[in-house]
Amino acid sequence: MANQTTEIAWATSTCNPFKGCSKVSPECANCYMTGWAYRHQCMGNEGYEGTVKGERGKRVPTGKIGIVEKQIESLKTIKTERLFVNSMSDTFHENVDDLKVSRVFDSMKANGNGTNFLICTKRSARMAEMSQTLDVPDNIWMGTTCGCQSSLHRLDDLRRTKAKIRFVSVEPLLEPLDITPWLADGTLKWVIVGGESGKGWRKMEKEWAEAILRQCQQFNVPFFLKQWSAFKPKSDAEYPPTIDGQVWHQYPQIKE
Ligand code: SF4
């Protein structure tokens, strides 16, 4: 197992060629990226200028995407087990042109170090469309976020996405969800569930997470339970969280 260099438990590291984003759906309400991007912007770090603005004491992502070429290049050589690409942005954001997205994929493709790349987007329609022409090797896992019923349509986009490993990040889980249609037809090869953290966190009932575990068990799909909802989940008595007395850190089957 590679050293864990990110707080995101289901990845082993992150890399951010793109910086900045804008909110698209209820899951984004308390996005962690905004606060971090604001701090980087204040420190003058490359790519963050103009990505967040303050409005009456509130910070809002502007939709400006900073692109850092040397980090696109770095994807060619990074060696880690599971690299979450663009955790501080959205790879398929509408303000990034196709050419830059393609360059990210070209760099990942050129990596010969056994790294698995995890792309997770809320712009799933664009991912589905671009995946038809992008070359997506088996070590690039393509996913979307779906934490509420109004986002379930993204799983239909995922179904159209050309990738061997397709996954859903059910984070933050905001209400009960039935994802069985996409488990039953083989769209989903991995399911991550997590509750919200930080300021303004919204409660995830444990039964909602357990119900998704049962759905995954029914179709033998790996399940990863990241955290219960709390201001600081890692301070919880139960971290990592369990269901049936077990920590659920399952991963996709990479080989047939
Ligand atoms: S899409 Fe992701 S990074 Fe962008 S605002 Fe929403 S939660 Fe934040």
Side-chain angles (χ1 to χ4, degrees), residues 21-24 27-28 31 33 61 89-90 122-123:
C21 199
S22 51
K23 299 187 180 192
V24 281
E27 298 95 333
C28 297
C31 169
M33 179 278 305
S89 186
D90 186 326
K122 291 186 181 65
R123 277 81 176 174

Side-chain angles (χ1 to χ4, degrees), residues 67-161:
I67 296 180
V68 180
E69 291 291 335
K70 63 177 180 269
Q71 294 201 353
I72 297 181
E73 280 297 302
S74 74
L75 293 170
K76 293 178 180 171
T77 52
I78 288 175
K79 182 175 170 62
T80 189
E81 205 167 334
R82 289 177 305 280
L83 185 77
F84 181 14
V85 179
N86 289 325
S87 63
M88 293 292 288
S89 186
D90 186 326
T91 301
F92 292 97
H93 194 281
E94 53 278 14
N95 292 340
V96 181
D97 64 41
D98 286 1
L99 201 62
K100 296 291 183 195
V101 177
S102 298
R103 286 212 46 228
V104 166
F105 276 78
D106 287 345
S107 287
M108 294 189 291
K109 220 169 52 185
N111 184 298
N113 288 331
T115 296
N116 293 303
F117 297 94
L118 282 58
I119 303 279
C120 190
T121 182
K122 291 186 181 65
R123 277 81 176 174
S124 49
R126 187 176 181 208
M127 173 176 67
E129 192 184 318
M130 285 198 74
S131 75
Q132 308 305 315
T133 50
L134 289 167
D135 187 8
V136 183
D138 293 351
N139 65 328
I140 300 180
W141 306 0
M142 304 276 262
T144 190
T145 307
C146 176
C148 54
Q149 290 167 24
S150 59
S151 297
L152 282 170
H153 64 94
R154 293 189 188 129
L155 299 180
D156 288 331
D157 294 330
L158 194 64
R159 183 186 280 136
R160 294 189 292 116
T161 298

